[in-house]
Amino acid sequence: DAKTTQPNSMESNEEEPVHLPCNHSTISGTDYIHWYRQLPSQGPEYVIHGLTSNVNNRMASLAIAEDRKSSTLILHRATLRDAAVYYCILRGMYSGGGADGLTFGKGTHLIIQP
Amino acid sequence: KAGVTQTPRYLIKTRGQQVTLSCSPISGHRSVSWYQQTPGQGLQFLFEYFSETQRNKGNFPGRFSGRQFSNSRSEMNVSTLELGDSALYLCASSLAGTGSDEQYFGPGTRLTVT
């Protein structure tokens, strides 16, 4: 799996937007960009993923740079419940089907202030 | 739809013993992956099963093994337990385990080796 770089921690205020950056300069053309988060004492939770175009779902938005070397996870209105470790993961695909297991780095510890 | 379930949730074993953990994926999901989470090493990929075949494997010793049944349920086994095997073991399921699939994690089994 190609490597990703994320800030160790970020802090934001409740009800404000949060932009979590991720650099992945060695991304290959078939790598999907996935975001997961892990709340305290829980298993990881899928947030969003994309390949080339920006993506939106009920949880967040994913903005992907045109050269795909970086991406940003956007939480539009952070709540205390969004305090978690956020992981940006690249997932390649095998020609015969299947894909690499998720490679979790250190992630970004998001702190939300009330 | 029921989520991913793992049993047991907590387990205490003695060095040298073996242990079997169980995972039931979301209905319709054919890919099951296993991960180990420790404070020192973080989340690490163990292996992935698809249609009863191990398709992908992480960098763990042969003491760690698994299998998948025809109903997609999976078990992982750790033989000759060591103190360092104490960890949270997480199971994740996805439709087909491709790079574009999202993985859904269970709550994990907390294994303590004494």
Side-chain angles (χ1 to χ4, degrees):
Chain A
D1 273 337
K3 295 254 188 275
T4 63
T5 305
Q6 300 177 251
N8 288 335
S9 66
M10 289 184 64
E11 200 167 310
S12 183
N13 295 319
E14 201 176 8
E15 299 189 6
E16 289 186 357
V18 179
H19 290 233
L20 296 166
C22 180
N23 287 319
H24 29 78
S25 59
T26 60
I27 190 171
S28 76
T30 56
D31 285 341
Y32 282 82
I33 302 160
H34 287 252
W35 284 82
Y36 285 78
R37 71 180 185 181
Q38 189 170 23
L39 280 66
S41 303
Q42 294 187 27
E45 176 185 31
Y46 167 79
V47 178
I48 200 167
H49 77 279
L51 184 61
T52 56
S53 306
N54 294 344
V55 185
N56 300 296
N57 66 21
R58 64 174 180 80
M59 287 181 70
S61 295
L62 176 60
I64 301 172
E66 202 168 322
D67 63 5
R68 301 215 316 134
K69 293 185 176 181
S70 65
S71 60
T72 302
L73 178 69
I74 303 165
L75 306 178
H76 294 286
R77 206 161 157 266
T79 69
L80 295 176
R81 199 194 164 278
D82 292 320
V85 179
Y86 286 77
Y87 298 96
C88 169
I89 300 167
L90 300 184
R91 197 144 192 247
M93 293 193 53
Y94 298 159
S95 59
D100 298 323
L102 295 175
T103 300
F104 290 84
K106 299 274 190 236
T108 296
H109 185 197
L110 178 62
I111 300 163
I112 305 295
Q113 298 289 357
Chain B
K1 244 187 197 177
V4 177
T5 58
Q6 293 187 244
T7 56
R9 293 293 310 279
Y10 302 91
L11 206 48
I12 299 175
K13 289 286 188 178
T14 304
R15 260 185 310 175
Q17 288 186 314
Q18 73 159 15
V19 68
T20 299
L21 312 181
S22 181
C23 171
S24 292
I26 291 171
S27 177
H29 285 193
R30 295 171 63 194
S31 169
V32 174
S33 298
W34 288 88
Y35 294 83
Q36 181 197 65
Q37 186 169 28
T38 60
Q41 299 297 319
L43 270 154
Q44 292 184 286
F45 170 70
L46 279 156
F47 31 65
E48 185 232 0
Y49 284 86
F50 178 79
S51 291
E52 302 177 64
T53 301
Q54 187 182 92
R55 190 164 59 175
N56 198 355
K57 190 177 190 307
N59 191 22
F60 278 82
R63 300 185 297 107
F64 292 82
S65 63
R67 60 177 175 167
Q68 186 180 34
F69 302 96
S70 58
N71 60 359
S72 294
R73 191 177 70 83
S74 177
E75 290 181 346
M76 71 161 279
N77 184 277
V78 188
S79 62
T80 321
L81 283 166
E82 301 177 359
L83 294 178
D85 297 333
S86 294
L88 180 67
Y89 289 89
L90 292 154
C91 160
S93 77
S94 66
L95 278 170
T98 67
S100 60
D101 277 352
E102 50 260 39
Q103 292 197 352
Y104 294 90
F105 284 79
T109 294
R110 172 76 59 187
L111 172 64
T112 301
V113 182
T114 62

